Amino acid sequence: LYIATGDGGGGDDPDNLAQNLSSNLGKILRITVSGNTAGYTVPPTNPFVGVAGNDEIFSYGLRNPFRNSFDRATGDFYIADVGQSAREEINFETAATPGGRNYGWRAREGSADNPGVGDPAPPGAVDPLFEYTHGSSLAPSRGSITGGYVYRGSLIPDLQGTYFFGDFVSGNIGSF
């Protein structure tokens, strides 16, 4: 089970929880649901098992991941992350990604430095696969990305492998 958590609120993540590996906020957590007393176990292949950081953390540095999905044909993982002031982003992990990726929030919003804080970009921060700015055709004023799905239907063969997503504020639909 992959669990998406926001950074806990407050502009520019004031406690920098998305970068704090002792916090489960601003992360993708990965667990295995079980009947033990805790209700779950942690996969031993999670990137922070046996090292500094909460064992449940799979990926971090996210602001507000919303409606993430797996491509049912490839197992690839799409993480839609709601931006704060300027950008909306979609992060991507192939099925072979071992986890541990840092998507850079709070120092970065998408692929750009966050002007609201003076933090340098974290070493090794991963830029999004796709992003758009507020003020673009997808978000003419403000935006709030809503993740979607990779099309794997049979009715429109030309759309095979196309990822579709929405923007909650503008009501627009995008794809790539």
Side-chain angles (χ1 to χ4, degrees):
L1 176 65
Y2 289 74
I3 304 165
T5 65
D7 67 12
D12 293 319
D13 189 11
D15 296 322
N16 205 15
L17 296 172
Q19 292 297 314
N20 182 343
L21 296 176
S22 295
S23 169
N24 286 340
L25 296 176
K27 315 289 190 296
I28 299 293
L29 309 176
R30 184 174 70 164
I31 64 171
T32 301
V33 178
S34 70
N36 72 13
T37 56
Y40 72 93
T41 60
V42 175
T45 56
N46 272 10
F48 298 102
V49 170
V51 298
N54 290 353
D55 291 352
E56 295 87 349
I57 296 171
F58 187 74
S59 299
Y60 64 108
L62 297 160
R63 182 178 175 272
N64 188 17
F66 185 61
R67 297 263 173 118
N68 309 298
S69 65
F70 288 92
D71 180 336
R72 65 183 179 196
T74 65
D76 295 338
F77 189 34
Y78 291 80
I79 305 167
D81 194 12
V82 177
Q84 178 173 281
S85 303
R87 295 171 183 261
E88 305 297 311
E89 66 187 83
I90 298 169
N91 298 297
F92 177 77
E93 298 193 9
T94 68
T97 302
R101 287 182 159 205
N102 181 351
Y103 292 104
W105 175 252
R106 84 178 186 168
R108 299 185 53 79
E109 186 173 5
S111 64
D113 291 338
N114 180 358
V117 298
D119 301 352
V126 178
D127 283 343
L129 172 67
F130 180 84
E131 66 186 324
Y132 59 95
T133 60
H134 299 178
S136 70
S137 61
L138 284 168
S141 57
R142 294 197 64 220
S144 179
I145 198 164
T146 302
Y149 298 95
V150 175
Y151 179 76
R152 294 293 177 191
S154 59
L155 294 177
I156 310 172
D158 288 347
L159 294 180
Q160 276 292 322
T162 301
Y163 179 80
F164 288 89
F165 62 95
D167 187 278
F168 182 77
V169 173
S170 69
N172 289 328
I173 295 173
S175 68
F176 60 87

